[in-house]
Amino acid sequence: MRWAKRPDSLPACLPCAQGDAMSYIVGYTIGNDVSARDLQFKSNKGQWLLGKTGDGYAPIGPAIVTSEEVPTPIHLDIKCSINGVERQSSNTSQLVRVIRLLPLS
């Protein structure tokens, strides 16, 4: 995480030691990385950006849960339902990157 300007009350976190990384997390929210596959594959030989740039294609929130409320963020269920039908189900333990190891840039 890098800020050009920040209030003096915020701790600097670049770089931070791996063991301290979790102490810089204020909270968590949810986001959905939406893709319009028809647009993505229709033109530009599968160039992915076109399929991800529509209005509302990266909804997040609507809330932030503080890190005190989620002491173990690596064991949370994640589900997506559309019209009452579950379409995706996973767990944060399946994340590609471990939260404390994410790059700060």
Side-chain angles (χ1 to χ4, degrees):
M1 200 180 311
R2 294 183 185 269
W3 293 291
K5 289 186 174 182
R6 64 177 174 79
D8 290 334
S9 61
L10 289 176
C13 65
L14 43 120
C16 73
Q18 196 177 90
D20 296 334
M22 297 299 286
S23 68
Y24 288 96
I25 296 174
V26 174
Y28 304 92
T29 193
I30 190 77
N32 191 357
D33 184 5
V34 179
S35 296
R37 298 289 187 203
D38 57 337
L39 291 176
Q40 182 176 347
F41 296 117
K42 184 177 182 177
S43 62
N44 295 328
K45 299 177 183 171
Q47 206 290 335
W48 63 269
L49 184 61
L50 184 62
K52 293 185 172 288
T53 57
D55 288 343
Y57 276 40
I60 63 168
I64 295 175
V65 179
T66 66
S67 54
E68 288 87 19
E69 296 174 273
V70 184
T72 313
I74 57 169
H75 296 291
L76 301 174
D77 290 330
I78 303 170
K79 296 182 181 198
C80 175
S81 298
I82 299 174
N83 298 325
V85 177
E86 188 175 291
R87 302 294 293 268
Q88 294 177 318
S89 179
S90 190
N91 190 286
T92 54
S93 64
Q94 300 296 308
L95 288 172
V96 175
R97 303 273 191 270
V98 177
I99 295 170
R100 65 182 172 77
L101 300 179
L102 289 174
L104 296 174
S105 58

